[in-house]
Amino acid sequence: MFEIIDHIEIELTADDILKGQGMDPARASDRVKDVVLEVLTEANSLVEPKAMAGKLPVLDFAHETLTFEGGIFEGPLVKRALAGATEIFLAVCTIGPKLEERMKELMASDMLKGLALDGAGTAAIRLVSQAVTNMLITAAENSGLKTGMKAQPGQEGWPIEQQRVLFSVLPAEKIGVRLTDSCLMIPRKSVSFVLPLGKDLREDATPCDFCSKRERCPWRREKQVAAG
Ligand code: SF4
């Protein structure tokens, strides 16, 4: 059901690292750019991209609650992003621990390089997450399905505690990722996400269109009356 994806190829550029540090490459100082160039090769050698991903069927959707085989996701973002899905992809991606360990060493001896490496890690996990998302979208399209809005536990509208639900069904420890008591992922440069898929995911649809309570929902009736 869940598979390890380890053929993820990314190559960081100096601009990626500057953006990972929250900088506009066009405005970065020469000193900062030099430091980034100094760490670029090492940063690429320390990134070990891996992901674990799989697909589970959706059993019910009602208001802000999506019940799928293995758990329940709840929250306003769940309603907005996952309504209409007949299945969901769950994924955890990481760049492994090596870059983070080296970054901590550098922070003690050469903070500018340490910060550059931290930016490299941020940029790398973004690229890995995008590459895995693209693979899942292609897999869905090959099965004649559409994908919807990607969402992450911990984003606004989806409590971070729901990471526990995701980690209870996805064996992330097999790619070396674990959850702390406060629901942060270790290694830190890891991301988790859920991607909805289905035949009926339409941009003009509203969550009420897919809700199992819609026929008896007083809020929906109120909205229909208000809309005339
Ligand atoms: S039909 Fe009612 S319960 Fe269902 S999503 Fe709409 S407002 Fe919420």
Side-chain angles (χ1 to χ4, degrees):
M1 179 176 22
F2 284 96
E3 280 179 36
I4 293 178
I5 305 171
D6 53 11
H7 51 282
I8 307 163
E9 297 200 1
I10 62 153
E11 182 76 29
L12 289 168
T13 64
D15 280 5
D16 291 332
I17 296 179
L18 288 165
K19 287 183 200 160
Q21 289 184 271
M23 289 184 205
D24 175 353
R27 290 166 172 252
S29 70
D30 288 345
R31 173 78 187 114
V32 169
K33 284 184 190 167
D34 286 347
V35 173
V36 163
L37 289 173
E38 282 169 35
V39 302
L40 181 58
T41 304
E42 186 179 16
N44 273 308
S45 75
L46 294 170
V47 172
E48 295 182 327
K50 266 194 190 143
M52 169 78 73
K55 201 168 53 170
L56 291 171
V58 171
L59 305 177
D60 185 48
F61 168 73
H63 200 47
E64 295 182 349
T65 303
L66 180 113
T67 307
F68 63 96
E69 200 175 280
I72 291 176
F73 287 138
E74 289 177 286
L77 181 61
V78 170
K79 175 178 178 174
R80 191 153 58 89
L82 308 184
T86 49
E87 294 172 285
I88 46 173
F89 277 124
L90 284 81
V92 170
C93 313
T94 187
I95 61 162
K98 286 188 178 168
L99 185 140
E100 205 167 311
E101 284 161 10
R102 177 72 177 131
M103 184 266 290
K104 281 182 191 153
E105 274 174 23
L106 280 172
M107 280 299 197
S109 59
D110 187 337
M111 191 182 270
L112 273 185
K113 275 193 185 175
L115 288 171
L117 217 50
D118 189 54
T122 301
I125 191 61
R126 273 186 205 148
L127 292 177
V128 172
S129 172
Q130 195 51 56
V132 172
T133 305
N134 292 344
M135 285 178 202
L136 298 180
I137 290 173
T138 303
E141 286 172 354
N142 289 344
S143 319
L145 297 171
K146 293 179 188 156
T147 49
M149 175 183 162
K150 182 165 100 173
Q152 298 173 241
Q155 265 182 286
E156 193 179 338
W158 196 356
I160 195 161
E161 289 73 22
Q162 295 251 302
Q163 284 277 43
R164 294 198 188 104
V165 179
L166 194 150
F167 274 70
S168 72
V169 290
L170 187 151
E173 71 283 354
K174 290 190 179 162
I175 55 164
V177 181
R178 68 179 175 84
L179 212 54
T180 65
D181 289 345
S182 48
C183 294
L184 297 175
M185 284 176 280
I186 304 288
R188 246 176 4 100
K189 302 300 186 194
S190 302
V191 296
S192 64
F193 66 81
V194 177
L195 186 70
L197 62 161
K199 279 194 164 43
D200 270 346
L201 289 170
R202 309 184 313 268
E203 284 189 6
D204 62 342
T206 72
C208 300
D209 295 338
F210 305 108
C211 180
S212 61
K213 290 186 179 158
R214 65 187 174 278
E215 296 309 331
R216 55 186 193 282
C217 171
W219 303 310
R220 180 167 167 260
R221 270 199 294 272
E222 272 171 29
K223 276 192 239 166
Q224 284 174 331
V225 170

